[in-house]
Amino acid sequence: RERYTIIHVWKMYRRLAPRNTTISFHREDERLGVKATYPSLDHSAQDSVMTLRDASFSMRAAQLFNRMPKRVRQCTTIDNLKVVLGDFLATIPDYPPVK
């Protein structure tokens, strides 16, 4: 699921998919590359509102996109993105939690 979320946010950044969320993009600097941002929420909001916001697609998708290395975020084609993202995700161990 996370893989497809990252691909969708990349498509929104490259304007290959509609930007129908509150996610916006900006370049921080050459070293960090492009980052996804989302509107801030007043910290005095109710806990239920904060929980809904934290679980929203916009929030989770932007966080996932920002956690990707620069080489993933700066890909220029979808095929290149899939290869680079797959290579990166292959380095992350995927073991189920054991009790």
Side-chain angles (χ1 to χ4, degrees):
R1 179 177 74 181
E2 287 81 5
R3 174 189 197 93
Y4 299 108
T5 301
I6 293 164
I7 291 171
H8 186 70
V9 174
W10 179 88
K11 285 181 176 181
M12 288 177 11
Y13 166 62
R14 293 291 179 180
R15 299 190 184 277
L16 300 173
R19 290 189 185 182
N20 53 2
T21 65
T22 56
I23 298 174
S24 59
F25 300 92
H26 71 282
R27 180 174 294 281
E28 289 190 0
D29 60 27
E30 224 19 69
R31 184 179 66 87
L32 296 176
V34 174
K35 294 288 188 171
T37 59
Y38 38 85
S40 61
L41 183 66
D42 184 12
H43 292 290
S44 64
Q46 293 178 352
D47 287 341
S48 60
V49 173
M50 296 289 276
T51 300
L52 286 172
R53 177 181 179 262
D54 291 343
S56 71
F57 174 81
S58 296
M59 187 77 159
R60 292 179 46 84
Q63 290 172 343
L64 279 171
F65 184 77
N66 290 340
R67 287 188 180 127
M68 292 299 102
K70 180 181 171 184
R71 70 180 184 273
V72 173
R73 294 189 316 263
Q74 71 182 7
C75 290
T76 55
T77 65
I78 189 71
D79 293 330
N80 185 15
L81 171 71
K82 289 177 181 179
V83 170
V84 173
L85 181 59
D87 291 345
F88 172 71
L89 292 177
T91 65
I92 300 173
D94 187 20
Y95 302 113
V98 178
K99 290 186 179 185

